[in-house]
């Protein structure tokens, strides 16, 4: 049986392309670099369909995957037995099934609209009702969508999901819905014919524009011709237009038939988000290294947001210095990702020993740029509900190295007065601080809480995916369950019920659950 086509873009594209090719999936519309690396065609014969589309998440910590609904249903029937990005094949993956699928159309209830900040919150589905008849807010999902415009004097509206939800992270919404296909997008609310900017052949552009105008003699809506349309025949385009028109009519009929229905009107896709912890990123390094020179921690460095580049304004165009002069004066700041790409390009054609030396020197400089005593380091605490919390940063107290790599980082963090320490029922007082010990690659870290008189008030063992380190700080995914230790050394496990919940929701696998619980038990018994 022919497997569905997979479209891949983003920082993980080389590793993912190899994984899917090895699993027998055809790759459709690869970038020129991927075509060259894998010696694959631009598309399978007689196919334009992006059955599965994989792109980076906005935070680069994983991928957003959109399936055609029929493809998703077929994979689900087969328990995803040969789908590479599934927990049965890699139990360390963290998966969020979207409640509101990308490109789906909803009628939503406007619950808040802010003119000053130009945004609105839209209720897309009713909240769950508890046993007492009250709305129950979920800790791991949402019913709200974000619309980036103020909506005056309206109670409800029709919206299309432009970016799916992920845990409690709300989906993004747009208005004036479209009906997307592989070759054409129907735009019901205008009569324009738009050609993809990726189509640069003048004759093709004119042919598609004329075809669009011909279709509009009988179809009273606009079109966007996608890049793949330049490869298709007129017959193939017209057949897809007819199919999309059926979906449009179904959507319009549902809107008319159920004028007060809040919820989904039309959906042809299924969306998931897959998060890659440190060990997954490192395994992708190994896969990529089979194809081309790849630095240690390649995907960890690439997965972090770019720093702001230097900006400067000049009175006249003639005052603007040359690119070379800007570099000499240190006025152009290259991101760590830029320098990584440049360094890896130097490694082509060199022997293993030379590459190891380049790698060693690059990483030494990379870590030296942000790992210095008393320098502030961020702590990015990603929750299993989808949120990433930036904890109070710490001042670097000490660094231990192993084989030339940072191994243990000790941070001193000032704590804000008020409230209680989690699980300890001990107040956080003025002058309290924490000493955190973060071992890179470890499944937990320990924070010791001190009073301003340097007296120990307790310890907290945070259970998490293996700790990773980058120029953005320390990052991990919190696995909910933790261990606390009071002032007299008594330990107990807390928050296991939240770990249980994520297992029941299939956010984590049974294997990852067992690993987290096993680490907690070992800490409780003093074995680690």
């Amino acid at each position: 049986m022919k497997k569905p086509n997979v479209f891949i873009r983003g920082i993980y594209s080389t590793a993912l392309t190899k994984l899917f090719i090895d699993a027998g999936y055809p790759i459709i519309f690869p970038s020129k670099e991927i075509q060259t690396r894998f010696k694959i065609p631009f598309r399978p014969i007689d196919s334009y369909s992006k059955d599965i589309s994989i792109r980076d998440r906005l935070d680069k910590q994983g991928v957003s995957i959109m399936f055609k609904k029929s493809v998703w249903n077929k994979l689900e029937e087969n328990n995803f037995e040969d789908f590479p990005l599934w927990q049965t094949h890699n139990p360390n993956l963290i998966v969020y099934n979207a409640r509101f699928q990308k490109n789906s159309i909803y009628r939503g209830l406007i619950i808040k609209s802010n003119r000053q900040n130009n945004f609105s919150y839209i209720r897309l589905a009713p909240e769950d009702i508890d046993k007492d008849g009250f709305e129950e807010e979920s800790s791991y999902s949402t019913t709200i969508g974000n619309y980036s415009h103020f909506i005056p004097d309206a109670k409800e509206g029709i919206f299309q999901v432009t970016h799916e939800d992920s845990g409690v992270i709300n989906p993004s919404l747009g208005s004036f819905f479209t009906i997307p296909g592989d070759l054409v997008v129907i735009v019901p609310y205008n009569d324009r014919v738009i050609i993809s900017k990726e189509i640069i052949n003048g004759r093709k552009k004119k042919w598609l524009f004329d075809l669009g105008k011909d279709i509009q003699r009988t179809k009273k809506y606009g079109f966007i011709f996608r890049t793949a349309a330049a490869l298709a025949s007129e017959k193939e385009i017209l057949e897809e237009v007819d199919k999309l028109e059926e979906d449009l009519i179904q959507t319009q009929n549902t809107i008319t038939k159920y004028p007060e229905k809040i919820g989904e009107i039309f959906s042809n896709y299924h969306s998931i988000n897959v998060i890659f912890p440190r060990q997954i990123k490192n395994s992708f390094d190994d896969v990529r290294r089979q194809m081309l020179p790849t630095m240690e921690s390649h995907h960890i460095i690439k997965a972090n947001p770019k720093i702001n580049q230097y900006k400067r304004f000049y009175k006249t165009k003639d005052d603007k210095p040359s690119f070379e002069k800007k570099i000499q004066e240190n006025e152009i700041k290259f991101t760590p990702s830029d320098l990584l790409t440049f360094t890896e390009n130097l490694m082509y054609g060199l022997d293993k020993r030379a590459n190891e030396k380049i790698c060693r020197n690059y990483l030494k400089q990379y870590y030296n740029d942000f790992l210095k005593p008393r320098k502030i380091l961020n702590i990015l605490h990603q929750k299993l509900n989808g949120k990433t919390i930036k904890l109070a940063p710490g001042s670097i107290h000490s660094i231990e190295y192993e084989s030339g790599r940072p191994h243990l980082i000790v941070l001193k963090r000032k704590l804000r007065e008020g409230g209680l320490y989690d699980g300890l029922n001990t107040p956080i007082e003025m002058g309290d601080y924490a000493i955190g010990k973060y071992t890179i690659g470890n499944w937990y870290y320990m924070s010791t809480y001190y009073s301003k008189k340097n007296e120990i008030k307790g310890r907290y063992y945070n259970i998490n995916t293996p700790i990773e380190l980058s120029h953005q700080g320390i990052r991990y995914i919190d696995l909910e369950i933790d261990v606390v230790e009071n002032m007299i050394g008594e330990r107990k496990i807390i928050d296991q019920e939240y770990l249980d919940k994520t297992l029941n929701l299939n956010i984590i696998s049974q294997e990852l659950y067992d690993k987290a619980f096993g680490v907690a038990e070992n800490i409780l018994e003093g074995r680690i």
Side-chain angles (χ1 to χ4, degrees), residues 476-499:
Y476 52 83
I477 302 167
D478 179 52
L479 294 177
E480 302 287 12
I481 191 171
D482 298 303
V483 177
V484 293
E485 179 182 320
N486 62 21
M487 288 182 286
I488 60 174
E490 295 173 334
R491 296 180 180 181
K492 67 176 180 179
I493 290 176
I494 62 171
D495 296 340
Q496 182 185 339
E497 65 273 18
Y498 299 118
L499 180 67

Side-chain angles (χ1 to χ4, degrees), residues 21 25 66 85 109 152 173 175 197 246 251 361 377 411 438 486 497 501:
I21 287 176
Y25 286 79
M66 184 174 71
L85 291 181
L109 182 68
L173 306 177
S175 56
K197 64 181 180 181
E246 292 176 8
T251 300
N361 289 337
L377 199 62
L411 299 180
Y438 303 85
N486 62 21
E497 65 273 18
K501 181 72 171 177

Side-chain angles (χ1 to χ4, degrees), residues 63-65 98 100-102 161-166 169-172 271-273:
V63 291
S64 166
I65 309 180
F100 306 106
Q101 321 302 330
K102 187 173 181 179
V161 177
T162 58
H163 199 284
E164 73 279 2
D165 55 298
S166 177
I169 304 300
N170 295 343
S172 298
S271 300
I272 67 172
N273 273 239

